[in-house]
Amino acid sequence: MLKPLLRRAAAYETLEQYPRAYVDYKTAVQVDSSVQAAQDGMNRMRKVLIDKNGSNWREKLPPMPSVPLSAQHRWGPSAPGNTEQTCMPQNAGDTGSSKSEQAKSLKEEGNELVRKGEHRKAVDKYSASLKLDNKECTTYTNRALCHLQLKQYPEAVQDCTAALALDPNNLKAFYRRALARKELKDYAGSVTDLQEMLKRDPSNSAGQRLLQEVQKFTK
């Protein structure tokens, strides 16, 4: 029962049918409140619906199906590994996971989209993640990679700069900013980034090759 629910919820979310997606994620939580994907999806949809409809967002939801007790695998005291956190009333799941957990989930969704080559969608996931946790360095560098693929070079520079503010020794941030600056014809800035990168990792062959390439434009 869970897999079809989660798949349909994800499909509704992709189609921006957020009320239907929320109902399916919430139903999945009722079936098994220990499933993190259901919890994260429900919290994600609730945030979208509150943003769109305000405090009256629940009034616009489709009818919520009832889940028989026999189908609620994790809620009864006999369920293996059951804890007080999973023995909750039907609406208590709305408290959901923390912002950092939601941010991590969105970041992982973005990573999966990158693996599929869907960089524009990945940018949206990373942006949503950073709204919840703007101190995660790798989310900035991952989004910078997507911006590079989409030829959005100023945005890539901005993300790498943000990453370096959090981690001044981040090699990926130096390298990706150097790539973006090269495309923006900021060759001096690109050389500086690569030199800083190679100070920290002198044997980095990708950095060495790019530095040789960029230095040709500065002569």
Side-chain angles (χ1 to χ4, degrees), residues 190-201:
S190 183
V191 167
T192 298
D193 279 339
L194 291 165
Q195 288 173 339
E196 289 297 320
M197 174 188 174
L198 291 168
K199 280 182 187 177
R200 294 160 174 80
D201 184 10

Side-chain angles (χ1 to χ4, degrees), residues 52-55 66 78 103 105 133 148 158-159 166 173:
K52 290 171 69 71
N53 302 315
S55 59
S66 60
S78 62
S105 177
D133 180 5
L148 286 169
Q158 185 176 3
D159 275 352
L166 294 168

Side-chain angles (χ1 to χ4, degrees), residues 29 32-44 96-98 101-102 105:
V29 168
D32 189 343
S33 62
S34 70
V35 177
Q36 193 63 48
Q39 289 275 7
D40 290 343
M42 183 180 69
N43 290 319
R44 197 165 56 246
S97 56
S98 68
E101 290 171 334
Q102 294 178 56
S105 177

Side-chain angles (χ1 to χ4, degrees), residues 134-145:
N134 63 0
K135 302 297 184 185
E136 179 56 48
C137 182
T138 56
T139 309
Y140 284 109
T141 56
N142 289 354
R143 191 170 67 175
L145 173 64

Side-chain angles (χ1 to χ4, degrees), residues 57-76:
W57 65 278
R58 290 182 184 277
E59 298 175 6
K60 301 181 182 296
L61 293 176
M64 185 74 64
S66 60
V67 178
L69 287 174
S70 60
Q72 297 178 14
H73 299 302
R74 300 280 180 175
W75 288 42

